[in-house]
Amino acid sequence: MTATMLAVYRHDTHKFNGRTHDNALEEFAGVEVNQQVPCGADGDAAALSRPLEQREPVVPTHRSPYRLSLLTGNPVHETGETAGLNVAAEVEDLITFSEADVAHEQWLQSDVAAMYNEAVAFPYTSLKYHTLLVAALLHHYRDGQGFGDLRLVVDEAETIVPHRTVYAGEQFSLRIATDDGRPSARFGSRLCRSWASTWNRLTDHPLRTDEKKWDMTLDANLRRIRAWSTALQYIEDFQGGCPDR
Amino acid sequence: MTVLQQVLWELEMDYIGHPYYVSGNAILNALVQNLDTDTARSLKASHGMFVPGQFGTFPENHSQSGSQPYLGAGLPAVETYDDLFLHREPDQGWLLDSRARDALNIHGLRVDGGHPTLAHQTIIGRPPEHQRQKLTTRWYIHAYLHADNPSTLPVSEESLGMVQFGAKRNYGYGEATLKATQTVDLDALDFTRLDEAETHLIRLVTPFVTSSGYPGANDVPVPWWWDESRDGLRFREEKIVDSGTVHRLETVDHGQVVEYAGDCPVETARNGLTRVGSHSRLGFGELRVIPLTESEAGS
């Protein structure tokens, strides 16, 4: 189990250095990387965030592995917040953790993984959240659950379930799970960019949308986004980048 | 004859106000000064949905097909029930996958005095060396009007021409100008897709008011024809401001989907357009009936 889950956190290492999958190295910093993820979890997670038949870049002026921020419109690696990062060292750390649970926690907290997109043609997507989605899907597929059994579940902040938590913030966490009594919404049976429709159907919202104008604004924008990795990254960026929080 | 008058305004300035939509109450308040008393009293307004003025392709269930430049910045002909919802759902399904659809569809945010402000245009492709390739997207507000007294419609283009929504209007915020308007005769609308399906869903396009602090308003139960109890629904508090007084509303939050337990989907769909529940005159309680094909119903 550990080896397979570790392979998930290493499966897109080539994206950190701008190599295509076909051109990817098999080893990085002494560990095996860029291996295929079993059970189709990688392809399924990709389908949650981008149209797979589309290869032309949607922003022709930005052909780069670096992510564009949906919040500011700018490339993330040029902003002040990432200025202090030792990117090479942090990437190496992310890839070389030898315990899968630790790797999951580090990816949840990683700023450097959030600097990259999951596909050059879709610069607003996030390598960080794509990888976390792959991990959560694979974990469930290996347990025998199908995509149609899965739900987006809202947890209290600081609740982190190894490999299944896909977002962890100061106000709440989000997890992929089967029903367990927490506020949640079904993914639905179709693999598609279903973020907005899933978020819309949550049985309870983690945001204080009754009275907080900034929470309402975040919620309003989350109802407009279809790509999963883009939306999860937007929540993270919004929580860090807007006043009143 | 029941007539809906669709209205599309173009935002000329940033907007400080309700981020989900411009409420029907705000729309009526903006229009009332341009209208005679009888028309103003008779008029009902939907909530105004934010739409990016972008290229798009008609959705599968629309009566028209193909791509169109500036699909978000115009009012295409309406022939069927589904056509009415082209611009009314926040994820704007008509946006092209070949463009950065999520970036084009979310509101750019600015801060004014600590408050979120929605930008009236979005610019993509800003690096200096690519100035000429930058793509500017304008924002539009889509709403529709109807009236107790049908002879008051259509409201003239002159009366709709220049409006302002939200806060800080003295500083020019929320200014919008009329881009397009057209009337739709509900009796001539094609509801075949609803008629042909055996099972249906209901999507709450705007919040449904169950309880209101407005003087004289009654509490309203969740409709029996929603196959969902209160426990299975998400609620959100809304407000109506009337002459400076804030009235709190308990609403079933919009965007949720319930199964339809009634047996007259076309009638329900028509009522959902002119809206149901308390404060329906002000945009609350707009519903969309969605027919399920056999394969969808089984999944």
Side-chain angles (χ1 to χ4, degrees), chain B residues 88-162:
Chain B
R88 296 203 62 74
E89 294 179 351
D91 72 336
Q92 306 294 356
W94 49 269
L95 281 163
L96 298 179
D97 281 342
S98 56
R99 296 188 170 210
R101 68 167 333 280
D102 290 338
L104 294 168
N105 192 36
I106 70 154
H107 296 288
L109 304 179
R110 305 184 218 260
V111 185
D112 184 291
H115 300 290
T117 302
L118 308 188
H120 73 288
Q121 56 182 22
T122 309
I123 300 172
I124 284 185
R126 258 185 284 201
E129 66 274 24
H130 294 299
Q131 268 304 314
R132 268 193 243 151
Q133 285 167 273
K134 77 176 184 184
L135 177 70
T136 302
T137 301
R138 303 291 302 261
W139 280 89
Y140 296 83
I141 296 166
H142 178 279
Y144 61 90
L145 308 169
H146 56 108
D148 290 330
N149 175 2
S151 69
T152 57
L153 294 179
V155 174
S156 71
E157 293 194 13
E158 196 179 33
S159 304
L160 298 169
M162 179 93 84

Side-chain angles (χ1 to χ4, degrees), chain A residues 172-183:
Chain A
F172 59 91
S173 298
L174 296 172
R175 175 165 51 101
I176 293 177
T178 50
D179 202 5
D180 70 350
R182 298 281 313 163

Side-chain angles (χ1 to χ4, degrees), chain B residues 41-120:
Chain B
R41 198 172 293 152
S42 162
L43 214 57
K44 304 170 180 198
S46 74
H47 286 346
M49 301 301 183
F50 295 105
V51 188
Q54 261 294 327
F55 278 67
T57 184
F58 286 104
E60 199 182 328
N61 295 317
H62 201 282
S63 65
Q64 298 178 61
S65 59
S67 297
Q68 208 176 69
Y70 302 106
L71 191 59
L75 292 174
V78 173
E79 293 169 18
T80 69
Y81 173 68
D82 289 297
D83 293 354
L84 284 170
F85 294 94
L86 183 67
H87 292 141
R88 296 203 62 74
E89 294 179 351
D91 72 336
Q92 306 294 356
W94 49 269
L95 281 163
L96 298 179
D97 281 342
S98 56
R99 296 188 170 210
R101 68 167 333 280
D102 290 338
L104 294 168
N105 192 36
I106 70 154
H107 296 288
L109 304 179
R110 305 184 218 260
V111 185
D112 184 291
H115 300 290
T117 302
L118 308 188
H120 73 288

Side-chain angles (χ1 to χ4, degrees), chain B:
Chain B
M1 184 169 111
T2 306
V3 168
L4 300 185
Q5 182 177 6
Q6 293 184 310
V7 185
L8 194 69
W9 284 289
E10 180 171 286
L11 261 182
E12 302 286 348
M13 270 285 281
D14 292 357
Y15 160 84
I16 306 176
H18 202 303
Y20 296 110
Y21 33 69
V22 176
S23 74
N25 193 29
I27 290 172
L28 288 178
N29 283 333
L31 291 180
V32 73
Q33 50 203 319
N34 303 339
L35 302 173
D36 65 74
T37 318
D38 284 349
T39 305
R41 198 172 293 152
S42 162
L43 214 57
K44 304 170 180 198
S46 74
H47 286 346
M49 301 301 183
F50 295 105
V51 188
Q54 261 294 327
F55 278 67
T57 184
F58 286 104
E60 199 182 328
N61 295 317
H62 201 282
S63 65
Q64 298 178 61
S65 59
S67 297
Q68 208 176 69
Y70 302 106
L71 191 59
L75 292 174
V78 173
E79 293 169 18
T80 69
Y81 173 68
D82 289 297
D83 293 354
L84 284 170
F85 294 94
L86 183 67
H87 292 141
R88 296 203 62 74
E89 294 179 351
D91 72 336
Q92 306 294 356
W94 49 269
L95 281 163
L96 298 179
D97 281 342
S98 56
R99 296 188 170 210
R101 68 167 333 280
D102 290 338
L104 294 168
N105 192 36
I106 70 154
H107 296 288
L109 304 179
R110 305 184 218 260
V111 185
D112 184 291
H115 300 290
T117 302
L118 308 188
H120 73 288
Q121 56 182 22
T122 309
I123 300 172
I124 284 185
R126 258 185 284 201
E129 66 274 24
H130 294 299
Q131 268 304 314
R132 268 193 243 151
Q133 285 167 273
K134 77 176 184 184
L135 177 70
T136 302
T137 301
R138 303 291 302 261
W139 280 89
Y140 296 83
I141 296 166
H142 178 279
Y144 61 90
L145 308 169
H146 56 108
D148 290 330
N149 175 2
S151 69
T152 57
L153 294 179
V155 174
S156 71
E157 293 194 13
E158 196 179 33
S159 304
L160 298 169
M162 179 93 84
V163 285
Q164 268 190 294
F165 302 120
K168 289 209 171 183
R169 294 198 286 271
N170 287 346
Y171 296 89
Y173 281 96
E175 190 180 297
T177 52
L178 182 68
K179 175 74 176 178
T181 183
Q182 69 180 3
T183 54
V184 177
D185 176 5
L186 279 195
D187 300 327
L189 216 56
D190 180 355
F191 287 89
T192 311
R193 233 168 65 81
L194 296 189
D195 258 338
E196 284 176 348
E198 291 199 355
T199 49
H200 303 80
L201 301 174
I202 291 180
R203 184 177 297 143
L204 282 59
V205 181
T206 66
F208 176 83
V209 179
T210 46
S211 171
S212 166
Y214 200 86
N218 295 325
D219 287 359
V220 181
V222 169
W224 66 265
W225 35 272
W226 296 7
D227 198 5
E228 193 67 71
S229 67
R230 274 184 72 96
D231 294 346
L233 294 167
R234 183 179 78 240
F235 285 76
R236 183 168 60 81
E237 186 179 287
E238 274 275 2
K239 298 176 187 72
I240 288 181
V241 183
D242 184 35
S243 311
T245 307
V246 177
H247 304 283
R248 293 175 187 280
L249 314 177
E250 178 195 74
T251 73
V252 181
D253 196 5
H254 67 292
Q256 293 177 89
V257 177
V258 297
E259 286 179 31
Y260 177 57
D263 56 4
C264 9
V266 173
E267 197 184 325
T268 301
R270 288 182 60 119
N271 291 338
L273 289 169
T274 51
R275 299 180 297 278
V276 294
S278 292
H279 304 304
S280 60
R281 177 172 180 261
L282 308 179
F284 291 95
E286 178 181 341
L287 308 176
R288 179 178 187 177
V289 179
I290 301 164
L292 280 185
T293 62
E294 266 175 45
S295 62
E296 289 165 331
S299 67

